[in-house]
Amino acid sequence: MIYIYDILVNFSDSLLYEFYEWNHSDHIENMKKIKLLKVSKQDFDCFCNHKIQVESDFLMKIFKTCEVYLSKGTNILDYACLISDGMRVLAVEFNAKGIIECRSKLLLDEEEEIAVLASNLEFMAIPYKILKEDNKNRFLTRKEIKVRRYLMNEIKESYRLKNYNKLRFLYIEYFEEREDEPKKMFEALLDSMKESLDIKHMELYQYLRLSHQKKQV
């Protein structure tokens, strides 16, 4: 393991955002120093996509080795490090039980430089177990996740309040055919967003947002 200095991370306890999806409102932190280690491609993928728990022996190897810049002074993170497969880089923070709490991708130029450094390191085997396979939202962008969440809330609310005219409108706009059974409309609209979103979902989102804005005026 070696130390990396002065990099930016955008730790998230839920979704893993690409650098171009970072927002100004995110809590972006400047790492003063953080340890880097090299892992296999398979292990890297697991750290990215699943909820995992590492063993306590590994935690002790990175204990209080990560330092973060604050507006005044610095702060020490108990269990945080960078992992890389020599091509990609991920910042990871664990809790005291060894369970991943937060993850972050890096800025493109910083990731490229660090990946080159990692390619010259020896592979390190990190004992871990997968607690939960979590591929939810894996292939959606941050904007698409926001749109899907909004549409799902609108559809569920319409069904719950028995606003079947609104539900029917959404169904016809998306599927371009009529359906009068509320449960079928409800389930079909939700199923349409299971794997991905398309242009029709975006149009529904824009229409609903606009209609809500008009009501508020």
Side-chain angles (χ1 to χ4, degrees):
M1 290 188 285
I2 61 173
Y3 279 106
I4 300 298
Y5 298 88
D6 294 322
I7 63 168
L8 297 180
V9 302
N10 185 13
F11 275 136
S12 170
D13 60 359
S14 55
L15 303 174
L16 190 58
Y17 301 125
E18 298 289 348
F19 72 93
Y20 50 79
E21 294 184 296
W22 292 9
N23 290 335
H24 293 297
S25 59
D26 292 342
H27 183 58
I28 298 173
E29 297 177 286
N30 188 347
M31 296 288 161
K32 181 178 181 181
K33 68 173 184 177
I34 184 170
K35 277 191 172 180
L36 168 68
L37 52 109
K38 185 180 180 182
V39 299
S40 68
K41 180 182 183 299
Q42 179 180 354
D43 287 347
F44 188 92
D45 289 339
C46 282
F47 273 74
C48 283
N49 301 318
H50 305 310
K51 182 178 182 180
I52 69 169
Q53 182 177 26
V54 299
E55 294 185 359
S56 57
D57 288 347
F58 171 73
L59 286 182
M60 296 314 299
K61 293 179 181 179
I62 62 171
F63 183 56
K64 293 188 180 297
T65 57
C66 178
E67 194 169 355
V68 183
Y69 283 113
L70 301 178
S71 57
K72 294 183 179 179
T74 60
N75 180 45
I76 303 294
L77 299 184
D78 286 344
Y79 307 107
C81 67
L82 295 175
I83 62 169
S84 174
D85 61 356
M87 296 292 291
R88 301 163 294 170
V89 184
L90 183 73
V92 188
E93 184 176 6
F94 306 88
N95 63 22
K97 294 181 180 180
I99 299 173
I100 287 183
E101 279 195 332
C102 301
R103 292 173 289 201
S104 174
K105 293 193 174 182
L106 306 186
L107 298 177
L108 182 60
D109 58 341
E110 293 182 344
E111 180 178 34
E112 290 177 344
E113 292 177 5
I114 295 170
V116 171
L117 294 174
S119 65
N120 295 317
L121 298 177
E122 296 292 330
F123 284 103
M124 181 175 183
I126 303 176
Y128 67 89
K129 60 182 177 180
I130 297 175
L131 301 179
K132 179 182 178 182
E133 294 189 1
D134 187 12
N135 291 314
K136 184 180 180 182
N137 298 325
R138 185 177 173 185
F139 302 108
L140 297 179
T141 66
R142 188 173 191 172
K143 181 179 179 181
E144 287 172 335
I145 292 168
K146 177 182 177 181
V147 169
R148 184 170 73 172
R149 184 181 296 119
Y150 183 90
L151 289 177
M152 289 181 72
N153 288 338
E154 289 286 321
I155 293 165
K156 290 178 180 178
E157 188 74 358
S158 298
Y159 186 68
R160 185 180 68 83
L161 297 177
K162 297 183 179 181
N163 188 349
Y164 299 142
N165 287 332
K166 179 178 178 180
L167 199 63
R168 186 177 296 106
F169 169 80
L170 296 175
Y171 185 92
I172 293 173
E173 285 296 306
Y174 185 79
F175 292 103
E176 298 182 356
E177 62 183 27
R178 185 180 177 88
E179 172 62 57
D180 292 316
E181 173 55 44
K183 187 176 181 180
K184 288 183 180 179
M185 293 188 290
F186 172 72
E187 292 178 347
L189 285 168
L190 292 184
D191 286 344
S192 72
M193 295 182 285
K194 269 189 175 180
E195 300 297 330
S196 61
L197 299 188
D198 56 35
I199 186 63
K200 289 185 178 180
H201 291 119
M202 297 300 178
E203 290 173 351
L204 286 181
Y205 172 76
Q206 294 296 337
Y207 173 82
L208 290 171
R209 292 281 292 179
L210 184 61
S211 64
H212 284 310
Q213 289 173 5
K214 288 181 177 179
K215 289 179 182 179
Q216 294 172 0
V217 175

